[in-house]
Each structure stands twice: as structure tokens, then as C-alpha cells.
């Protein structure tokens, strides 16, 4: 029995270090086994090699591609971007830098960003998208601006021979009337100032004494429009029931019911010479409806004598030219049309508004036509040349009514922004804005004889009378229970008519 001394250290095992390739040693061992015929596992290894389960190389090498990591590629791309950024020249003008960022669709400024930071940000963006991107976006912007300017340019197309003849006829008709109007204005100017002041004071006093003279239920649907005959002895009313009615003035007795429309009638107007020089069988009235139909009537029959076809959308207003030869219609297809009743055809289909055209009125001389639309703009057209001579810009909402003053150089417009604007056509500017009502203005009318007062009707259930000039309120015509949809002043200047949503029309007379 041997005992190990506790203080004796254990024997250190020496490690063997083999030099050279183990592959060669293994190959030598295998070959010696084959030569010597010993079968200590050699048969199994040999069988494995032959079966292809054991692969021992014979010195071949496999070339491995030099793959660069993605991080290295990103670093290289960043270095390349910085190199490009140093070569890009960026304007030092901050306004140009902002314009460049806007053109590239980037925010023009970031929170806490100064001009230098903004410039570097633009440089960095250009180094990514390329310096040509800014030039390309500017070219696209210029091209879009050029096309927009081309769209806004006035363009002309060749008109028909009948249109040319009508324009010449209108020039020959309007110029003598303009001369007579100017002569009357000069004669009015020669009257003493004191006399004119006294007349104006008397007129204002009579207007302040306006009272409800007559109230009549006109239909079982709202009364959308009213218009006096040229001799002031009849009143035509239009209703949403599709019926138009003629009433005797001042008795307010029903004379005739005009049946022909099947939907809301927008307007019914007398021809300028109706009841004066025209025969009873001649065309004396025109009306329009929401289905695009326009009908002509005489004073003998309750059936229309003719239909004017060609409108595809709502026709809101019709208006006679002072000569009685032409009829203007406004349509919600963004255009208005002029019809010559002598040749019985449409001679002008005028575009120019971006939305529906609601109202139309002809100048007393017959030379101009004013249109107002749902685009909040008004236009004054010279019928003798076809050009838009005045562009009325200033209303905030739709223009629902226009009316020329008998003096020839003032035009009133009523709008959905609750105001009435008076335009000075001589310098093409807004003369005065009347803060007229609490709701949209449906109708404006000047006094037909001298234009010394202005009448407005609105959806606040009232109509108001304003002095001209001065634009001071003279009288509020309150009495309707619904919104006032139409107003008119008799040609002799004595009566005022208002029609309303409450299905009645009222006559107002100075006591």
C-alpha cells in the first residue's frame, strides 16, 4: 500500500505539439493502412470516401468574393453626397432659398431654423435629388403659369353674319340715345342749384311717407318676381307654382293667368313697348324657369306664343333690350345668351363667368349689358364690340341682382354678402358700398325716371329706399312675413312693388 505525501506536487502533463498539416498525416496513415492491408477502420473510411460521404480535398482552393458590408456602402454613399454638396452652389438670398425649398415641395422653414441652416438644408436636399431638380421644378412652374395666363387671355372666334349685323344695328341705335341722354344731363346741370335741392328734398319727403297701399295674395307658392308694364297699369308676377299672373294697377285685380311652365318661374318681364306702341297680339312678355325653358307671351292669350329652346340648365333671369328687338337670358351653365327676335335665332352665346350667371340688365342706351354671377364677379359687356369693358370685383359672395341708373354711368349690384355696391363706370371703380340688409340682397332697382333713389329687397323680409347720391336710408318697407324675392318701381315713379316668399305682393305709395 502506497501513500502519497500530502506535500508532494502532482506530475505536470506535458502537452504535445504537432507541426504540419493534419490532412497530410491522415493521408499518409490511410495509404499505409491500404498498403499494409490492416483493416482497423480503413475499410469503412474507404467505403465512405467512395460513397462520397467523406471529402478529402486534394489541394483545391475556393476564391471568396470581397463583399463589402452595407454599412461600408452607406458610409461611401455619404462621403459621395458630401462631395457633391460641396460642389453645389446655393444662393445666399434667403428669399431665393425659401422659393427653392417650396419648389421642391419641402417646408420653407423649420422650428428654430436660421437662414444659414435653411441654406444648408437646401444644399443637402439638392445633393440627394440632384441640382437639376430645382431647375426642372422651376420650368414646370413657369410652364403652368404660362398655361394659366393663356387661359386667362381674352380669345375671339369668328361670329356669324347675323351677329355682325346686330352689332352694327346696336351701334346705330345706341349712339343717338347716348347723345340725347347727355343733352338732358347738360340741361339738368343748367338748372339752379337751389331748385335742384328743393326738388330733391321734396322727393325725399315723399319717399319717407311711403306706406303699404295694397297687399294681395298672388299664388299658393312663393312669388319670385314682379315687374311693372311700361304704362304702369299692369303688374306681372312669377311664382314657384309655374304660373305667371297679370294684375291691374292700382286695383290689384287679376287680369290673366299665364300657364305654360311646369316648375319654378324665375322671372317674367314686359317688353319695353308693351301696352304702348305694340298690338295686343304682339309678343309682350318673356318668362323663364328652373328647367331651362323660356317662353314668350302676348296680352291676348294665356298660352305661350313661342318657346325659346337651347338652355340645358336653369335660366334664372330674362331681360329685354331697350329696343325690344333682343332678349337676354342668363343660364347656370356659366353663360348668357342674346336672342334676336326679328331673325328668331340665338346670335350670341357669351361665356366669361366661372360659375352660373344669375342676373342681366341692359344699359338705358342699349350699348352695354351687365351680368352678375355666382362667382361673386360682375362684368359689363359692350354689345357693339363683344368685349368685356368693366370687371366688377369686390363682392364677397354671389351677385343676385344688377341695375343700371338712368344717368348712364352708375351700376348697382346686390349680393349674398348683404351689401349693395354702386359702381362708377367712368373710372371703373366702386363708388360706394351700402351695408344694406341683414341677409342676402335679392333685388336692386334705381328710380326709372331720374335715378334719384335706389330700392333694395332682401331676405331679411324688408325692402329699403336709399337716396342717390348720398346713399342715406330714407324708408324701410316692412310688412312681409317672408323674405322679399323681387322689387320693382313703376315707370312713372309713383308706385313700388315687392313680392315675397310669403306668397303675397305689396304695393307701396307715398301719401
Amino acid at each position: 500500500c502506497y501513500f502519497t505525501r500530502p506535500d508532494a506536487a502532482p506530475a505536470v502533463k506535458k502537452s504535445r505539439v504537432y507541426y504540419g498539416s493534419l490532412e497530410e498525416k491522415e493521408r499518409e496513415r490511410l495509404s499505409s493502412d491500404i498498403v499494409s492491408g490492416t483493416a482497423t477502420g480503413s475499410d469503412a473510411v474507404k467505403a465512405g470516401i467512395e460513397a462520397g460521404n467523406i471529402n478529402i480535398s486534394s489541394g483545391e482552393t475556393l476564391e471568396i468574393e470581397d463583399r463589402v458590408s452595407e454599412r461600408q456602402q452607406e458610409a461611401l454613399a455619404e462621403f459621395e453626397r458630401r462631395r457633391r454638396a460641396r460642389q453645389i452652389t446655393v444662393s445666399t438670398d434667403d428669399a431665393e432659398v425659401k422659393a427653392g425649398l417650396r419648389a421642391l415641395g419641402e417646408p420653407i422653414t423649420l422650428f428654430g431654423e436660421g437662414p444659414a441652416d435653411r441654406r444648408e438644408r437646401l444644399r443637402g436636399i439638392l445633393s440627394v435629388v440632384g441640382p437639376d431638380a430645382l431647375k426642372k421644378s422651376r420650368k414646370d412652374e413657369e410652364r403652368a403659369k404660362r398655361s394659366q395666363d393663356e387661359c386667362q387671355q381674352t380669345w375671339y372666334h369668328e361670329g356669324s353674319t347675323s351677329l355682325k349685323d346686330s352689332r352694327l344695328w346696336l351701334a346705330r341705335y345706341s349712339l343717338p340715345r347716348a347723345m340725347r341722354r347727355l343733352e338732358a344731363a347738360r340741361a339738368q346741370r343748367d338748372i339752379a342749384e337751389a331748385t335742384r335741392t328743393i326738388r330733391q328734398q321734396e322727393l325725399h319727403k315723399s319717399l319717407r311717407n311711403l306706406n303699404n297701399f295694397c297687399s294681395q295674395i298672388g299664388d299658393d307658392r312663393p312669388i319670385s318676381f314682379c315687374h311693372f308694364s311700361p304704362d304702369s297699369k299692369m303688374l306681372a308676377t312669377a311664382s314657384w307654382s309655374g304660373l305667371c299672373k297679370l294684375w291691374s294697377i292700382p286695383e290689384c285685380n287679376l287680369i290673366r293667368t299665364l300657364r305654360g311652365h311646369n316648375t319654378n318661374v324665375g322671372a317674367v318681364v314686359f317688353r319695353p313697348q308693351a301696352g304702348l306702341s305694340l298690338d295686343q297680339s304682339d309678343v309682350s312678355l318673356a318668362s323663364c324657369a328652373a328647367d331651362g325653358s323660356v317662353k314668350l307671351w302676348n296680352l291676348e292669350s294665356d298660352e305661350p306664343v313661342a318657346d325659346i329652346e337651347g338652355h340645358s340648365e336653369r335660366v334664372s333671369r330674362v331681360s329685354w333690350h331697350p329696343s325690344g328687338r333682343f332678349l337676354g337670358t342668363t343660364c347656370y351653365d356659366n353663360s348668357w345668351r342674346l336672342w334676336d327676335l326679328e331673325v328668331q335665332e340665338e346670335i350670341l352665346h357669351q361665356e366669361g363667368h366661372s360659375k352660373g350667371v344669375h342676373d342681366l340688365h341692359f344699359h338705358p342706351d342699349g350699348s352695354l349689358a351687365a351680368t352678375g354671377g355666382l362667382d361673386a364677379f360682375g362684368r359689363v359687356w359692350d354689345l357693339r364690340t363683344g368685349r368685356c369693358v368693366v370687371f366688377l370685383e369686390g363682392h364677397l359672395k354671389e351677385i343676385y341682382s344688377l341695375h343700371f341708373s338712368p344717368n348712364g354711368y352708375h351700376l348697382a349690384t346686390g349680393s349674398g354678402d348683404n351689401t349693395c355696391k354702386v359702381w362708377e363706370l367712368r373710372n371703373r371703380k366702386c363708388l360706394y358700398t351700402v351695408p344694406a340688409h341683414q341677409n342676402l340682397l335679392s333685388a336692386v332697382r334705381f328710380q326709372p325716371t331720374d335715378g334719384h333713389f335706389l330700392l333694395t329687397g332682401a331676405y331679411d323680409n324688408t325692402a329699403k329706399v336709399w337716396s342717390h347720391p348720398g346713399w342715406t336710408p330714407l324708408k324701410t318697407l316692412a310688412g312681409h312675413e317672408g323674405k322679399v324675392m323681387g322689387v320693382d318701381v313703376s315707370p312713372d315713379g309713383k308706385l313700388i312693388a315687392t313680392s315675397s316668399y310669403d306668397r303675397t305682393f305689396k304695393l307701396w305709395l307715398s301719401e
Side-chain angles (χ1 to χ4, degrees), residues 48-116:
I49 292 172
E50 289 176 354
N53 296 327
I54 299 175
N55 293 324
I56 298 177
S57 66
S58 57
E60 299 93 349
T61 58
L62 179 66
E63 293 291 335
I64 301 176
E65 295 179 1
D66 295 332
R67 296 189 176 226
V68 183
S69 68
E70 291 183 4
R71 190 173 297 175
Q72 287 177 314
Q73 284 183 342
E74 289 175 2
L76 290 172
E78 179 65 19
F79 287 135
E80 181 65 21
R81 189 190 65 75
R82 290 181 184 177
R83 184 186 65 79
R84 285 200 306 269
R86 285 193 297 272
Q87 295 174 350
I88 295 173
T89 56
V90 179
S91 172
T92 55
D93 185 2
D94 194 41
E96 289 186 19
V97 172
K98 288 181 177 179
L101 287 168
R102 177 176 280 117
L104 291 171
E106 296 289 332
I108 62 170
T109 186
L110 300 176
F111 181 75
E113 187 179 54

Coordinates of all heavy atoms in Angstrom, one line a residue, residues 48-116:
G48 N -16.6 5.0 -47.2 CA -17.2 6.4 -47.1 C -16.7 7.3 -48.2 O -17.5 8.2 -48.7
I49 N -15.4 7.3 -48.4 CA -14.9 8.1 -49.5 C -15.5 7.8 -50.8 O -15.9 8.7 -51.6 CB -13.3 8.0 -49.5 CG1 -12.7 8.6 -48.2 CG2 -12.8 8.7 -50.7 CD1 -11.3 8.3 -48.1
E50 N -15.6 6.4 -51.1 CA -16.1 6.0 -52.4 C -17.6 6.4 -52.5 O -18.1 6.8 -53.6 CB -16.0 4.5 -52.6 CG -14.6 4.1 -52.8 CD -14.4 2.6 -52.9 OE1 -15.4 1.9 -52.6 OE2 -13.3 2.1 -53.2
A51 N -18.3 6.4 -51.4 CA -19.7 6.7 -51.4 C -19.9 8.3 -51.5 O -21.0 8.7 -51.8 CB -20.4 6.2 -50.2
G52 N -18.9 9.0 -51.3 CA -18.9 10.5 -51.3 C -19.4 11.1 -50.1 O -19.7 12.3 -50.0
N53 N -19.4 10.3 -49.0 CA -19.8 10.9 -47.7 C -18.6 11.6 -47.0 O -18.8 12.4 -46.1 CB -20.4 9.8 -46.8 CG -21.7 9.3 -47.4 OD1 -22.4 10.0 -48.0 ND2 -21.9 8.0 -47.2
I54 N -17.4 11.2 -47.4 CA -16.2 11.8 -46.8 C -15.5 12.4 -47.9 O -15.1 11.8 -48.9 CB -15.4 10.7 -46.0 CG1 -16.2 10.1 -44.9 CG2 -14.1 11.4 -45.5 CD1 -15.5 9.0 -44.2
N55 N -15.2 13.8 -47.7 CA -14.5 14.5 -48.8 C -13.2 14.9 -48.2 O -13.1 15.6 -47.2 CB -15.3 15.7 -49.2 CG -16.6 15.4 -49.9 OD1 -16.6 14.4 -50.6 ND2 -17.6 16.1 -49.7
I56 N -12.1 14.5 -48.9 CA -10.8 14.9 -48.5 C -10.2 15.6 -49.8 O -10.2 15.0 -50.8 CB -9.9 13.7 -48.1 CG1 -10.5 13.1 -46.9 CG2 -8.5 14.2 -47.9 CD1 -9.7 11.9 -46.5
S57 N -9.9 16.9 -49.6 CA -9.5 17.7 -50.7 C -8.1 17.3 -51.2 O -7.3 16.8 -50.4 CB -9.5 19.2 -50.3 OG -8.5 19.5 -49.4
S58 N -7.9 17.6 -52.4 CA -6.6 17.4 -53.0 C -5.8 18.6 -53.2 O -5.1 18.7 -54.2 CB -6.7 16.6 -54.3 OG -7.6 17.3 -55.2
G59 N -6.1 19.7 -52.4 CA -5.3 20.9 -52.6 C -6.0 22.0 -53.3 O -5.5 23.1 -53.5
E60 N -7.4 21.8 -53.7 CA -8.0 22.9 -54.4 C -8.4 24.0 -53.4 O -8.6 23.8 -52.3 CB -9.3 22.4 -55.1 CG -9.1 21.3 -56.1 CD -9.2 19.9 -55.6 OE1 -9.3 19.8 -54.3 OE2 -9.3 19.0 -56.3
T61 N -8.5 25.2 -54.0 CA -8.9 26.4 -53.2 C -10.1 27.1 -53.8 O -10.3 27.1 -55.0 CB -7.7 27.4 -53.0 OG1 -7.4 27.8 -54.3 CG2 -6.5 26.8 -52.3
L62 N -11.0 27.7 -53.0 CA -12.2 28.4 -53.4 C -12.0 29.9 -53.2 O -11.7 30.3 -52.1 CB -13.4 27.9 -52.6 CG -14.7 28.5 -53.0 CD1 -15.1 28.1 -54.4 CD2 -15.8 28.0 -52.0
E63 N -12.1 30.6 -54.3 CA -12.0 32.1 -54.2 C -13.3 32.7 -53.6 O -14.4 32.5 -54.1 CB -11.8 32.7 -55.6 CG -10.5 32.3 -56.2 CD -9.3 32.9 -55.5 OE1 -9.5 34.0 -54.9 OE2 -8.2 32.4 -55.6
I64 N -13.1 33.4 -52.5 CA -14.3 34.1 -51.8 C -14.3 35.5 -52.3 O -13.3 36.2 -52.3 CB -14.1 34.0 -50.3 CG1 -14.1 32.5 -49.9 CG2 -15.3 34.8 -49.6 CD1 -13.9 32.4 -48.4
E65 N -15.5 36.0 -52.8 CA -15.7 37.3 -53.3 C -15.4 38.3 -52.1 O -15.9 38.1 -51.0 CB -17.1 37.6 -53.8 CG -17.3 36.8 -55.1 CD -18.7 37.0 -55.6 OE1 -19.4 37.8 -55.0 OE2 -19.1 36.4 -56.6
D66 N -14.8 39.5 -52.5 CA -14.7 40.5 -51.4 C -16.0 41.3 -51.3 O -16.3 42.2 -52.1 CB -13.5 41.5 -51.9 CG -12.2 40.8 -52.0 OD1 -12.1 39.8 -51.2 OD2 -11.3 41.2 -52.8
R67 N -16.7 40.9 -50.3 CA -18.0 41.5 -50.1 C -17.9 42.7 -49.1 O -17.3 42.5 -48.0 CB -19.0 40.5 -49.5 CG -19.3 39.4 -50.4 CD -20.5 38.5 -49.9 NE -20.8 37.5 -50.9 CZ -22.0 37.2 -51.2 NH1 -23.0 37.9 -50.7 NH2 -22.3 36.3 -52.1
V68 N -18.4 43.8 -49.5 CA -18.3 45.0 -48.7 C -19.6 45.1 -47.9 O -20.7 44.9 -48.4 CB -18.1 46.3 -49.5 CG1 -17.9 47.5 -48.6 CG2 -16.9 46.1 -50.4
S69 N -19.6 45.3 -46.7 CA -20.8 45.3 -45.8 C -21.6 46.6 -46.2 O -21.2 47.5 -46.8 CB -20.4 45.4 -44.3 OG -19.8 46.7 -44.1
E70 N -22.9 46.4 -45.8 CA -23.9 47.5 -46.2 C -23.5 48.8 -45.4 O -23.6 49.9 -46.0 CB -25.3 47.1 -45.7 CG -25.9 46.0 -46.6 CD -27.3 45.7 -46.1 OE1 -27.8 46.4 -45.2 OE2 -27.9 44.8 -46.7
R71 N -22.9 48.7 -44.3 CA -22.5 49.9 -43.5 C -21.4 50.6 -44.3 O -21.4 51.8 -44.3 CB -22.1 49.5 -42.1 CG -21.8 50.6 -41.2 CD -21.6 50.2 -39.8 NE -22.7 49.4 -39.2 CZ -22.7 48.8 -38.0 NH1 -21.6 48.9 -37.3 NH2 -23.8 48.2 -37.6
Q72 N -20.5 49.8 -44.8 CA -19.4 50.5 -45.6 C -20.0 51.2 -46.8 O -19.6 52.3 -47.2 CB -18.4 49.4 -46.0 CG -17.5 48.9 -44.9 CD -16.6 47.8 -45.3 OE1 -17.0 46.9 -46.0 NE2 -15.3 47.9 -45.0
Q73 N -21.0 50.5 -47.5 CA -21.6 51.2 -48.7 C -22.3 52.5 -48.3 O -22.2 53.5 -49.0 CB -22.6 50.2 -49.3 CG -22.0 49.1 -50.1 CD -23.0 48.2 -50.8 OE1 -24.2 48.3 -50.3 NE2 -22.6 47.5 -51.7
E74 N -23.0 52.5 -47.2 CA -23.7 53.7 -46.7 C -22.6 54.8 -46.4 O -22.9 56.0 -46.7 CB -24.5 53.4 -45.5 CG -25.7 52.5 -45.8 CD -26.5 52.2 -44.5 OE1 -26.0 52.6 -43.4 OE2 -27.5 51.4 -44.6
A75 N -21.5 54.4 -45.8 CA -20.5 55.4 -45.5 C -19.9 56.0 -46.8 O -19.7 57.2 -46.9 CB -19.4 54.7 -44.6
L76 N -19.7 55.1 -47.8 CA -19.2 55.6 -49.0 C -20.2 56.5 -49.7 O -19.8 57.6 -50.3 CB -18.8 54.4 -49.9 CG -17.6 53.6 -49.5 CD1 -17.5 52.3 -50.4 CD2 -16.4 54.4 -49.6
A77 N -21.5 56.1 -49.7 CA -22.5 57.0 -50.3 C -22.6 58.3 -49.6 O -22.8 59.4 -50.3 CB -23.9 56.3 -50.3
E78 N -22.5 58.3 -48.3 CA -22.5 59.6 -47.5 C -21.3 60.5 -47.9 O -21.4 61.7 -48.1 CB -22.5 59.3 -46.0 CG -22.5 60.5 -45.1 CD -23.8 61.3 -45.3 OE1 -24.8 60.8 -45.8 OE2 -23.7 62.5 -44.9
F79 N -20.1 59.9 -48.0 CA -19.0 60.7 -48.4 C -19.2 61.3 -49.8 O -18.8 62.4 -50.1 CB -17.7 59.8 -48.4 CG -17.2 59.5 -47.0 CD1 -16.8 58.2 -46.7 CD2 -17.1 60.5 -46.1 CE1 -16.4 57.9 -45.4 CE2 -16.7 60.2 -44.8 CZ -16.3 59.0 -44.4
E80 N -19.8 60.5 -50.7 CA -20.0 60.9 -52.1 C -21.0 62.1 -52.1 O -20.9 63.0 -52.8 CB -20.5 59.8 -52.9 CG -20.8 60.1 -54.4 CD -19.6 60.5 -55.2 OE1 -18.4 60.2 -54.7 OE2 -19.7 61.2 -56.2
R81 N -22.1 61.9 -51.2 CA -23.1 63.0 -51.2 C -22.5 64.3 -50.6 O -22.8 65.4 -51.1 CB -24.2 62.5 -50.2 CG -25.4 63.5 -50.2 CD -26.4 63.1 -49.1 NE -25.9 63.3 -47.8 CZ -25.7 64.5 -47.2 NH1 -26.0 65.6 -47.9 NH2 -25.2 64.6 -46.0
R82 N -21.6 64.2 -49.7 CA -21.0 65.4 -49.1 C -20.1 66.0 -50.2 O -20.0 67.3 -50.2 CB -20.2 65.0 -47.9 CG -21.1 64.7 -46.7 CD -20.2 64.4 -45.4 NE -21.0 63.9 -44.3 CZ -20.5 63.5 -43.2 NH1 -19.2 63.5 -43.0 NH2 -21.3 63.1 -42.2
R83 N -19.4 65.2 -50.9 CA -18.6 65.8 -52.0 C -19.4 66.5 -53.0 O -19.1 67.6 -53.4 CB -17.8 64.6 -52.7 CG -16.8 65.1 -53.7 CD -16.2 63.9 -54.4 NE -17.2 63.2 -55.2 CZ -17.6 63.6 -56.4 NH1 -17.2 64.8 -57.0 NH2 -18.5 62.9 -57.1
R84 N -20.6 65.9 -53.4 CA -21.5 66.6 -54.3 C -22.0 67.9 -53.7 O -22.2 68.9 -54.4 CB -22.6 65.7 -54.7 CG -22.3 64.6 -55.7 CD -23.5 64.1 -56.4 NE -24.5 63.7 -55.5 CZ -24.6 62.4 -55.0 NH1 -23.8 61.5 -55.4 NH2 -25.6 62.1 -54.2
A85 N -22.4 67.8 -52.4 CA -22.9 69.0 -51.7 C -21.9 70.2 -51.8 O -22.3 71.3 -51.9 CB -23.3 68.7 -50.3
R86 N -20.6 69.9 -51.6 CA -19.6 70.9 -51.6 C -19.5 71.6 -53.0 O -19.2 72.8 -53.1 CB -18.3 70.4 -51.2 CG -18.1 70.1 -49.7 CD -16.7 69.9 -49.3 NE -16.1 68.7 -50.0 CZ -16.2 67.5 -49.5 NH1 -16.8 67.3 -48.3 NH2 -15.7 66.4 -50.1
Q87 N -19.9 70.9 -54.0 CA -19.8 71.4 -55.4 C -21.0 72.2 -55.8 O -21.0 72.9 -56.8 CB -19.5 70.3 -56.4 CG -18.2 69.6 -56.2 CD -18.0 68.4 -57.1 OE1 -19.0 67.9 -57.7 NE2 -16.8 67.8 -57.1
I88 N -22.2 72.0 -55.0 CA -23.4 72.7 -55.4 C -23.4 74.1 -54.9 O -23.1 74.4 -53.7 CB -24.6 72.0 -54.8 CG1 -24.8 70.6 -55.5 CG2 -25.9 72.8 -55.0 CD1 -25.8 69.7 -54.9
T89 N -23.7 75.1 -55.8 CA -23.8 76.5 -55.4 C -25.2 76.8 -55.0 O -26.1 76.6 -55.8 CB -23.3 77.4 -56.5 OG1 -24.1 77.1 -57.7 CG2 -21.8 77.2 -56.8
V90 N -25.4 77.4 -53.8 CA -26.7 77.7 -53.3 C -26.7 79.2 -53.1 O -25.8 79.8 -52.5 CB -27.1 76.9 -52.1 CG1 -28.5 77.4 -51.5 CG2 -27.1 75.5 -52.3
S91 N -27.8 79.9 -53.5 CA -27.9 81.3 -53.3 C -27.9 81.7 -51.8 O -28.4 81.0 -50.9 CB -29.2 81.8 -53.9 OG -29.4 83.2 -53.6
T92 N -27.3 82.9 -51.5 CA -27.2 83.3 -50.1 C -28.5 84.2 -49.8 O -28.6 84.6 -48.7 CB -26.0 84.2 -49.9 OG1 -25.9 85.2 -50.9 CG2 -24.7 83.3 -50.0
D93 N -29.3 84.5 -50.8 CA -30.5 85.2 -50.6 C -31.6 84.3 -50.0 O -31.9 83.3 -50.5 CB -31.1 85.8 -51.9 CG -32.3 86.7 -51.7 OD1 -32.7 86.9 -50.5 OD2 -32.8 87.2 -52.7
D94 N -32.0 84.7 -48.7 CA -32.9 83.8 -48.0 C -34.3 83.6 -48.7 O -34.9 82.5 -48.7 CB -33.2 84.4 -46.6 CG -33.8 83.3 -45.7 OD1 -33.4 82.2 -45.7 OD2 -34.8 83.7 -44.9
A95 N -34.7 84.6 -49.4 CA -36.0 84.5 -50.2 C -35.9 83.5 -51.3 O -36.8 82.7 -51.5 CB -36.4 85.9 -50.8
E96 N -34.7 83.5 -52.0 CA -34.5 82.5 -53.1 C -34.4 81.1 -52.5 O -34.9 80.2 -53.1 CB -33.2 82.9 -53.9 CG -33.4 84.1 -54.7 CD -32.2 84.3 -55.6 OE1 -31.4 83.4 -55.8 OE2 -32.0 85.5 -56.1
V97 N -33.8 81.0 -51.3 CA -33.6 79.7 -50.7 C -35.0 79.1 -50.3 O -35.4 78.0 -50.6 CB -32.8 79.8 -49.4 CG1 -32.8 78.5 -48.6 CG2 -31.3 80.1 -49.8
K98 N -35.9 80.0 -49.8 CA -37.3 79.6 -49.5 C -38.0 79.2 -50.7 O -38.8 78.2 -50.7 CB -38.0 80.7 -48.7 CG -37.5 80.9 -47.3 CD -38.3 82.0 -46.6 CE -37.9 82.2 -45.2 NZ -38.6 83.3 -44.5
A99 N -37.8 80.0 -51.8 CA -38.5 79.7 -53.0 C -38.1 78.3 -53.6 O -38.9 77.6 -54.1 CB -38.3 80.8 -54.1
G100 N -36.8 78.1 -53.4 CA -36.3 76.8 -53.9 C -36.8 75.6 -53.1 O -37.2 74.6 -53.6
L101 N -36.9 75.8 -51.8 CA -37.5 74.7 -50.9 C -39.0 74.5 -51.3 O -39.4 73.4 -51.3 CB -37.3 75.1 -49.5 CG -35.9 75.0 -48.9 CD1 -35.9 75.7 -47.5 CD2 -35.5 73.6 -48.8
R102 N -39.7 75.6 -51.5 CA -41.1 75.5 -51.8 C -41.3 74.8 -53.2 O -42.1 73.9 -53.4 CB -41.8 76.9 -51.9 CG -43.2 76.8 -52.3 CD -43.9 78.1 -52.3 NE -44.3 78.5 -50.9 CZ -43.8 79.5 -50.2 NH1 -42.9 80.3 -50.8 NH2 -44.2 79.8 -49.0
A103 N -40.4 75.1 -54.1 CA -40.5 74.5 -55.5 C -40.2 73.0 -55.4 O -40.7 72.2 -56.1 CB -39.5 75.1 -56.4
L104 N -39.4 72.6 -54.4 CA -39.0 71.1 -54.2 C -40.1 70.4 -53.4 O -39.9 69.2 -53.1 CB -37.7 71.0 -53.6 CG -36.5 71.4 -54.5 CD1 -35.2 71.4 -53.8 CD2 -36.4 70.5 -55.7
G105 N -41.1 71.2 -52.9 CA -42.1 70.5 -52.0 C -41.7 70.3 -50.6 O -42.3 69.5 -49.9
E106 N -40.7 71.1 -50.2 CA -40.2 71.0 -48.8 C -40.7 72.1 -48.0 O -41.0 73.2 -48.5 CB -38.6 71.0 -48.8 CG -38.0 69.8 -49.5 CD -38.2 68.5 -48.7 OE1 -38.3 68.5 -47.5 OE2 -38.2 67.4 -49.3
P107 N -40.8 72.0 -46.6 CA -41.2 73.1 -45.8 C -40.2 74.3 -45.9 O -38.9 74.0 -45.9 CB -41.3 72.6 -44.4 CG -40.5 71.3 -44.4 CD -40.6 70.8 -45.8
I108 N -40.6 75.5 -46.0 CA -39.7 76.6 -46.3 C -38.9 76.9 -45.0 O -37.8 77.6 -45.1 CB -40.4 77.8 -46.8 CG1 -41.4 78.4 -45.8 CG2 -41.0 77.5 -48.2 CD1 -42.0 79.7 -46.2
T109 N -39.4 76.6 -43.8 CA -38.7 76.8 -42.6 C -39.1 75.8 -41.6 O -40.2 75.3 -41.5 CB -38.9 78.3 -42.1 OG1 -38.1 78.5 -41.0 CG2 -40.4 78.5 -41.7
L110 N -38.1 75.5 -40.7 CA -38.4 74.6 -39.6 C -38.3 75.4 -38.3 O -37.7 76.5 -38.3 CB -37.4 73.4 -39.6 CG -37.4 72.5 -40.9 CD1 -36.3 71.5 -40.8 CD2 -38.8 71.9 -41.0
F111 N -38.7 74.8 -37.2 CA -38.7 75.4 -35.9 C -37.3 75.7 -35.5 O -36.4 74.8 -35.5 CB -39.4 74.6 -34.9 CG -39.5 75.2 -33.5 CD1 -40.4 76.3 -33.3 CD2 -38.6 74.8 -32.5 CE1 -40.4 76.9 -32.1 CE2 -38.7 75.4 -31.3 CZ -39.6 76.5 -31.0
G112 N -37.0 77.0 -35.2 CA -35.7 77.4 -34.7 C -34.6 77.4 -35.8 O -33.4 77.5 -35.5
E113 N -35.0 77.4 -37.1 CA -34.1 77.3 -38.2 C -33.7 78.7 -38.6 O -34.6 79.5 -38.9 CB -34.6 76.5 -39.3 CG -33.7 76.2 -40.5 CD -34.3 75.4 -41.6 OE1 -35.4 75.8 -42.0 OE2 -33.8 74.4 -41.9
G114 N -32.4 79.0 -38.8 CA -32.0 80.3 -39.3 C -31.7 80.2 -40.8 O -31.7 79.2 -41.4
P115 N -31.4 81.4 -41.4 CA -31.1 81.4 -42.8 C -29.9 80.5 -43.2 O -30.0 79.8 -44.2 CB -30.7 82.9 -43.1 CG -31.4 83.6 -42.0 CD -31.4 82.7 -40.8
A116 N -28.8 80.4 -42.4 CA -27.7 79.6 -42.7 C -28.1 78.1 -42.7 O -27.8 77.3 -43.5 CB -26.6 79.8 -41.8

